[in-house]
Amino acid sequence: MNHQIVDQKERSLVLEYAKKVTGNFIGGHWVPSKSGSTIEILDPSTGRTLGEVPNSTADEVAAAVENAAAAQHSWAAKTPSQRSKALLDLARLAEENFELFSVLEAVDAGKPISAVRDDEMHGTLDAMRFFAGASRTLPAPASGDYLEGVSSVMRREPLGVIAAITPWNYPLLQAVAKVYAALATGNSVVLKPAETTPYSTVLLAELAAQVLPAGVFNVVFGSGAVAGDALARHPKVAAVSFTGSIETGRKVGIAAADGVKKSILELGGNSPVIVFDDADLDAALDAIAAGGVYNTGQECMSASRLIVHSSILDRAVEGLKARLSEYQVGDVLDPGTAIGPMNSAEQRSRVEAKIAALGPDAKVVLGGVSPEGDGFFFPPTIITGAGQHDEIVQEEIFGPVFTVQPFDAESEAITMANSTRYGLAASVFTSNVGRATRVQNALNFGTVWVNNHLVFAADLPVSGFGQSGIGTENAELGLLEYTRLKHIMIDQR
Ligand code: NAD
């Protein structure tokens, strides 16, 4: 493990940028917080302080919602073309700030700079352009005369003010998925980022203020329990778009339901990865290793729960071990780093606790112990022998940890895959097309990959089945979530 801190210049850039946060970003400018309380932001690679953000009160959240409500009507009155143009302008500004976004996101969230530069930033910019364009071609039932002498007209309208609550594992990508879908369809937004990862969202809001009307996109900082809850409950918020854990999602859903408003919930996952004995094992293990350690496994679709045909179990474990041992774990600013730290000491403790609680038959065959030294690092880990009812199999781990369980019959693999409370994503590796089709049809998951894992595009929907969520993010369906359909009937007589 390489814990050397490699580039103080880029880290200094983040420290400098962090000083900009002097309050909440409301109505297109910084509004000082009067809460008297702050949240310290740490660098996960070093454990040192990057800066602090306000721990906002419910009143400060309310001020942001009032601003968003005041700005929404004129934004909604713009044509789809005008809104699209403004959002494309913001995408252009984001691209001009590619390097600053990359460094802020890498250091603040603890992501390898290579992953941000080569992958996430491109996905983020592409998502911006997708939402800006797709919002101009939204479908609706055909207008027409469905009753004699009466014309029906369909009108797709925005919902109003959207509360966006984002997690720390993809701060920028999640902000963009929510803010762009909401703004493109004529809503305004108040966003509360996760407590540990504010900075890429701050940059997005600052750039937005250059091209969007003041007040259509506001950012408030603070705790989930106070600021997040106040935002979800505010009577002028029309809908809540949340990504995070099931437990918090349930609270957010209840808060929204209290006000009889919509909630779009993208929650946790615990992805099964079924590997048949007829699969190309080397190709499968390449995809699985990469898909399990990406973002240090803090990925709701992580390739974490392997269900492997018993005849190839030993080969699969050895092959996975070999691949995981090759990854460089270390400072996110080292371009050679493939696996960064966990996002927080708290998240690392959660993973450690799950490993400490393993049942007597479970065995850690790789990793499993946090290294000495600064930062919140945790090594790639493989666990064999865990039973289907063990917590490590049933619950999302959210770390670079794989469980490997054997199966014999196809039906057994499907049963094991389907028997947790989650339903976000799954994958199946086989060279038999008939088997691939049978298995993917039987899996209760919103996304199923065949002979791959963890590939995305903004054009394609993400929906959680089971307790993994309600509603859809991305794709045309994701845009429609932020609209309502009005039916107008005109009597011709
Ligand atoms: P979390 O649920 O703790 O927090 C998410 C956000 O909710 C944060 O901004 C937090 O401040 C806020 N929050 C907390 N309590 C709140 C409350 N009572 N009311 C309103 N807001 C509140 O989740 P996390 O630990 O930040 O993120 C990790 C989780 O998110 C994992 O479980 C992961 O699987 C899930 N996730 C899901 C997806 C998806 O698309 N399905 C994507 C990314 C992450």
Side-chain angles (χ1 to χ4, degrees):
M1 231 173 261
N2 174 10
H3 281 157
Q4 222 181 334
I5 301 309
V6 295
D7 194 332
Q8 293 298 352
K9 189 169 78 32
E10 282 165 312
R11 217 161 233 113
S12 308
L13 191 68
V14 182
L15 288 168
E16 242 351 90
Y17 191 82
K19 291 182 190 153
K20 286 195 165 197
V21 184
T22 52
N24 292 305
F25 200 80
I26 302 175
H29 56 265
W30 291 107
V31 176
S33 169
K34 297 194 178 73
S35 75
S37 154
T38 55
I39 298 172
E40 187 185 21
I41 307 301
L42 300 180
D43 177 341
S45 293
T46 64
R48 293 191 214 121
T49 305
L50 290 172
E52 57 182 28
V53 298
N55 192 4
S56 305
T57 62
D59 284 347
E60 289 171 320
V61 171
V65 175
E66 291 295 346
N67 257 275
Q72 195 259 328
H73 296 287
S74 50
W75 178 244
K78 292 191 183 300
T79 64
S81 164
Q82 290 168 330
R83 287 196 295 266
S84 176
K85 166 78 171 61
L87 292 169
L88 289 171
D89 286 344
L90 178 53
R92 179 180 44 75
L93 288 181
E95 189 152 36
E96 286 168 14
N97 285 271
F98 188 101
E99 193 49 28
L100 181 55
F101 266 122
S102 300
V103 172
L104 290 176
E105 191 77 333
V107 173
D108 188 15
K111 293 170 183 285
I113 188 77
S114 55
V116 185
R117 281 192 189 126
D118 301 344
D119 185 20
E120 286 181 34
M121 274 309 293
H122 296 285
T124 301
L125 293 170
D126 187 57
M128 289 175 158
R129 295 185 172 117
F130 167 76
F131 287 120
S135 62
R136 300 179 65 180
T137 61
L138 291 185
S143 295
D145 298 352
Y146 292 87
L147 293 174
E148 264 179 46
V150 186
S151 282
S152 284
V153 176
M154 311 296 166
R155 194 180 144 81
R156 199 165 275 292
E157 299 181 342
L159 298 175
V161 178
I162 305 297
I165 302 176
T166 51
W168 43 260
N169 59 346
Y170 291 97
L172 181 62
L173 202 52
Q174 281 292 313
V176 163
K178 295 182 190 315
V179 171
Y180 260 67
L183 293 184
T185 44
N187 302 278
S188 61
V189 177
V190 179
L191 186 154
K192 193 204 81 63
E195 287 86 334
T196 56
T197 50
Y199 296 124
S200 56
T201 306
V202 170
L203 179 55
L204 184 69
E206 281 200 317
L207 296 177
Q210 296 179 28
V211 287
L212 300 179
V216 300
F217 173 29
N218 309 275
V219 178
V220 288
F221 306 99
S223 72
V226 175
D229 185 66
L231 184 55
R233 288 183 187 279
H234 195 287
K236 286 195 181 166
V237 162
V240 189
S241 177
F242 170 85
T243 300
S245 60
I246 292 180
E247 285 62 37
T248 307
R250 190 177 285 126
K251 287 185 200 159
V252 169
I254 289 169
D258 246 2
V260 197
K261 64 182 78 157
K262 177 174 185 171
S263 53
I264 305 156
L265 306 175
E266 297 293 335
L267 309 179
N270 184 8
S271 307
V273 177
I274 303 176
V275 187
F276 284 95
D277 51 357
D278 59 11
D280 175 343
L281 190 57
D282 278 332
L285 291 174
D286 286 348
I288 294 165
V293 300
Y294 192 82
N295 211 20
T296 321
Q298 301 163 120
E299 157 60 62
C300 45
M301 296 183 169
S302 186
S304 54
R305 185 159 66 93
L306 275 60
I307 300 170
V308 179
H309 193 268
S310 57
S311 66
I312 54 165
L313 189 81
D314 292 345
R315 274 173 58 212
V317 171
E318 286 313 309
L320 190 60
K321 244 194 218 177
R323 283 163 177 79
L324 296 180
S325 305
E326 278 173 16
Y327 287 123
Q328 179 178 317
V329 182
D331 181 9
V332 296
L333 289 176
D334 181 338
T337 290
I339 305 177
M342 311 285 303
N343 177 257
S344 64
E346 195 187 6
Q347 184 57 28
R348 180 167 74 170
S349 302
R350 283 189 206 129
V351 174
E352 287 171 335
K354 288 200 171 96
I355 290 182
L358 286 178
D361 297 332
K363 213 168 123 194
V364 177
V365 297
L366 183 76
V369 180
S370 300
E372 297 286 325
D374 295 337
F376 312 134
F377 292 92
F378 194 81
T381 296
I382 304 176
I383 295 160
T384 59
Q388 184 63 22
H389 299 295
D390 291 1
E391 190 202 358
I392 199 83
V393 169
Q394 284 295 315
E395 288 303 322
E396 180 178 58
I397 306 170
F398 233 52
V401 180
F402 300 77
T403 59
V404 188
Q405 298 175 275
F407 76 91
D408 289 311
E410 183 178 306
S411 59
E412 187 190 359
I414 293 167
T415 304
M416 289 165 79
N418 281 341
S419 53
T420 75
R421 62 180 176 151
Y422 300 89
L424 193 58
S427 59
V428 50
F429 289 84
T430 174
S431 56
N432 179 326
V433 172
R435 172 177 275 157
T437 308
R438 284 193 303 275
V439 175
Q440 52 122 61
N441 286 348
L443 289 171
N444 291 324
F445 294 83
T447 297
V448 180
W449 290 285
V450 177
N451 292 329
N452 215 333
H453 199 103
L454 217 60
V455 279
F456 308 97
D459 328 41
L460 304 170
V462 171
S463 311
F465 293 0
Q467 291 191 16
S468 286
I470 298 173
T472 298
E473 198 144 66
N474 291 346
E476 181 184 89
L477 273 175
L479 279 163
L480 295 179
E481 294 280 11
Y482 295 86
T483 68
R484 60 187 189 188
L485 192 64
K486 182 181 280 175
H487 172 206
I488 302 151
M489 291 187 95
I490 306 166
D491 200 314
Q492 301 166 12
R493 290 157 299 179

